[in-house]
Amino acid sequence: MSDLNKLTLADARDRLRAGDVTSVDLTEACLRAIDGADRLNAFVHKTPDLALERAKAADARIRQGDAPAMCGIPVGIKDLFCTEGVASQAASGILNGFRPEYESTVSAQLRDAGAVMLGKLNMDEFAMGSSNETSVYGNVINPWKTDDRDLTPGGSSGGSAAAVAADLCLAATGTDTGGSIRQPAAFTGTVGIKPTYGRCSRWGIVAFASSLDQAGPMTKTVRDAAIMLQAMCGHDAKDSTSADLPVPDFEAMLTGDIRGKKIGIPREYQIDGMPAEIAALWAKGADMLRDAGAEIVDISLPHTKYALPAYYVIAPAEASSNLARYDGVRYGHRAKLAAGDGITQMYEKTRAEGFGAEVQRRVMIGTYVLSAGFYDAYYNRARKVRSLIKRDFDTVFAGGIDAILTPATPSAAFGLGEMANADPVQMYLNDVFTVTVNLAGLPGIALPAGLDAQGLPLGLQLIGRPWEEGELLKTAHVLEGAAGFVSKPAKWW
């Protein structure tokens, strides 16, 4: 019973229904694992009492026979989701002490489905980062290790990825603005899906870039992702960008049959300097899909090369607008003022103390590109490029392509500190394969497909048609089965 935290979500659900285990058993196993993993720094706000209370309620619900699939499943919640009565800081000092009086729609849907919240998970501050080194709580450490070097779990959902990989929870929520679910999933040998923009409500999720942010699950398997995603989706009248569309039974669509599907291989993703291991894995992934009956088609997404610069204009611009609300007046941190200081000094000192260096950098960039004289040169031009990138995908899908296969990241997990103090652009290049999906509002999934020469996980990405997460998950499920990735990090923490 001590290894129950190592179950997949699907296995745990089935054992709960069969009466072999209880939610309290599962929850206690996860809580023990969390207490023994402080070295990873994945959980930053533990809620054991609340977890056991919800686990007992879930067990009662299961006994009554009306429990949905997520009922009784212990999960972690990224610190970007507001959780009623539980600290929700977006890993930022400026929200120190903030305990919302409301619940985000996504976490409320999981709660109402009977999922058990174990606590809040670490992340990059305001979801701005690719290595989980900008958090006010300190960095998360990847449970995968080489020699004596601590590795990044990726970002911004690094706490979620590390917690799932280390079996601290059965699944976790993440958010993805430019790759923040898919990149950490690839770095930790887990599965992460970013749904179509509008599929999951953004209400109650601390905003980074409102036209790009999207919640999604981070899990141990594709089947688990299908189960959890269904519970997270649905129309929300409180979010004007939430789509009023039916939510399919994603798990039921995992038929294992992708014969006749056309899988696109974009030539523009074959970037200069791509490591041979990444290129080989990509080719192997195409072969596995071909062997499963899919047709592999070379395609072109000609505006891909403009995606990163466009993203790093649009996202900071929206961030500078969203983060203007943090001023020390209504909630969160307020700086101590000197005699004679006015409201302007309060704003300046509070933001200087509360925001980390990376957040300040992006706010300054965003404010600059929105300023008079530069708005058209930068922001409007980036918006036009975004439209061209979306049109590239529309054209490819209109031509009969069902999904697109790419690498998830340009490398395996790198060492903590190796990029944080270098040129920020080098860090931003980690998002080279993922940002196009956010700019176009498409669904994308990352799944583990192999190990590099150092024994670290490498991931592949599948990009799907809008609103066709079910078909995307079906293809990912076949690829997962063919790849046969079963490796886990050796416990050292």
Side-chain angles (χ1 to χ4, degrees):
M1 298 290 277
S2 61
D3 287 341
L4 291 176
N5 54 303
K6 296 181 180 179
L7 292 174
T8 66
L9 190 162
D11 288 342
R13 173 200 60 185
D14 295 344
R15 293 183 65 173
L16 283 166
R17 299 302 173 276
D20 295 339
V21 298
T22 66
S23 180
V24 170
D25 293 334
L26 288 169
T27 301
E28 288 177 340
C30 289
L31 291 173
R32 285 193 296 271
I34 292 167
D35 286 341
D38 286 344
R39 174 86 172 84
L40 299 180
N41 199 30
F43 275 88
V44 291
H45 299 293
K46 303 174 187 179
T47 56
D49 294 340
L50 178 63
L52 289 170
E53 178 186 322
R54 290 187 180 177
K56 291 172 184 175
D59 283 333
R61 191 171 174 182
I62 291 168
R63 286 194 297 270
Q64 292 169 2
D66 68 341
M70 288 297 297
C71 190
I73 303 297
V75 301
I77 303 294
K78 185 177 180 178
D79 198 38
L80 205 64
F81 293 79
C82 289
T83 45
E84 184 178 3
V86 178
S88 306
Q89 289 184 223
S92 179
I94 207 159
L95 278 172
N96 185 38
F98 179 55
R99 293 177 179 269
E101 297 181 2
Y102 54 90
E103 189 85 18
S104 78
T105 296
V106 165
S107 57
Q109 287 175 182
L110 289 170
R111 177 198 63 195
D112 295 345
V116 175
M117 183 179 77
L118 297 164
K120 304 298 287 293
L121 291 160
N122 206 347
M123 53 176 281
D124 281 296
E125 184 181 7
F126 282 106
M128 299 181 193
S130 300
S131 63
N132 224 135
E133 293 175 274
T134 68
S135 170
V136 72
Y137 311 120
N139 58 263
V140 180
I141 298 175
N142 194 329
W144 292 82
K145 199 172 180 68
T146 60
D147 303 323
D148 296 323
R149 189 172 57 137
D150 287 338
L151 303 175
T152 176
S156 65
S157 305
S160 301
V164 173
D167 294 316
L168 309 186
C169 54
L170 271 59
T173 62
T175 61
D176 194 310
T177 304
S180 287
I181 286 174
R182 291 159 290 151
Q183 184 246 31
F187 279 0
T188 57
T190 57
V191 174
I193 181 170
K194 183 207 90 73
T196 310
Y197 180 80
R199 179 63 92 177
C200 291
S201 172
R202 292 184 299 108
W203 193 86
I205 300 173
V206 178
F208 166 12
S210 300
S211 74
L212 299 165
D213 299 342
Q214 190 63 189
M218 303 191 73
T219 60
K220 300 178 185 181
T221 69
V222 172
R223 183 175 297 278
D224 289 359
I227 295 168
M228 188 172 179
L229 179 61
Q230 185 166 4
M232 295 171 66
C233 291
H235 179 244
D236 179 13
K238 298 191 292 292
D239 176 6
S240 63
T241 63
S242 175
D244 191 3
L245 293 172
V247 179
D249 184 342
F250 295 128
E251 187 184 11
M253 298 180 74
L254 304 181
T255 63
D257 185 3
I258 61 166
R259 288 173 295 178
K261 280 189 176 290
K262 292 185 177 181
I263 309 298
I265 306 294
R267 63 178 64 99
E268 288 81 9
Y269 282 55
Q270 296 166 356
I271 58 174
D272 292 340
M274 178 186 288
E277 290 174 319
I278 299 291
L281 185 75
W282 190 10
K284 183 181 176 184
D287 288 341
M288 289 187 286
L289 291 172
R290 184 185 291 110
D291 291 343
E295 180 184 350
I296 305 301
V297 182
D298 289 332
I299 62 170
S300 177
L301 298 167
H303 294 93
T304 294
K305 62 183 177 181
Y306 304 116
L308 268 178
Y311 173 84
Y312 279 104
V313 169
I314 293 169
E318 295 185 10
S320 73
S321 176
N322 279 324
L323 269 60
R325 71 193 68 177
Y326 304 109
D327 52 16
V329 175
R330 288 156 290 188
Y331 49 79
H333 175 72
R334 178 185 294 181
K336 291 183 179 179
L337 304 180
D341 281 349
I343 192 166
T344 300
Q345 287 75 27
M346 186 191 74
Y347 288 165
E348 290 175 349
K349 290 182 178 181
T350 295
R351 288 168 175 160
E353 291 174 7
F355 290 146
E358 180 62 25
V359 171
Q360 291 187 34
R361 178 186 292 119
R362 297 200 195 193
V363 167
M364 291 171 70
I365 292 170
T367 304
Y368 177 80
V369 300
L370 291 175
S371 61
F374 298 103
Y375 187 93
D376 285 332
Y378 292 101
Y379 185 65
N380 260 348
R381 185 170 294 182
R383 289 173 61 203
K384 291 174 183 176
V385 170
R386 180 181 190 174
S387 296
L388 293 173
I389 290 168
K390 183 179 185 302
R391 191 173 70 185
D392 287 348
F393 283 104
D394 291 344
T395 300
V396 164
F397 289 132
I401 295 297
D402 296 293
I404 298 167
L405 178 70
T406 78
T409 58
S411 70
F414 50 88
L416 287 164
E418 287 182 7
M419 291 195 190
N421 300 317
D423 179 358
V425 174
Q426 289 301 115
M427 183 72 83
Y428 299 162
L429 287 172
N430 276 283
D431 302 328
V432 66
F433 297 127
T434 53
V435 296
T436 53
V437 178
N438 299 82
L439 290 169
L442 299 171
I445 186 169
L447 64 152
L451 297 172
D452 74 354
Q454 294 180 292
L456 298 176
L458 297 172
L460 289 172
Q461 175 180 231
L462 284 163
I463 304 167
R465 297 169 177 264
W467 314 115
E468 292 191 7
E469 289 86 359
E471 293 297 324
L472 181 66
L473 286 159
K474 179 197 293 186
T475 305
H477 186 238
V478 170
L479 183 58
E480 176 186 54
F485 186 93
V486 294
S487 300
K488 296 287 289 185
K491 186 174 179 180
W492 55 267
W493 55 91

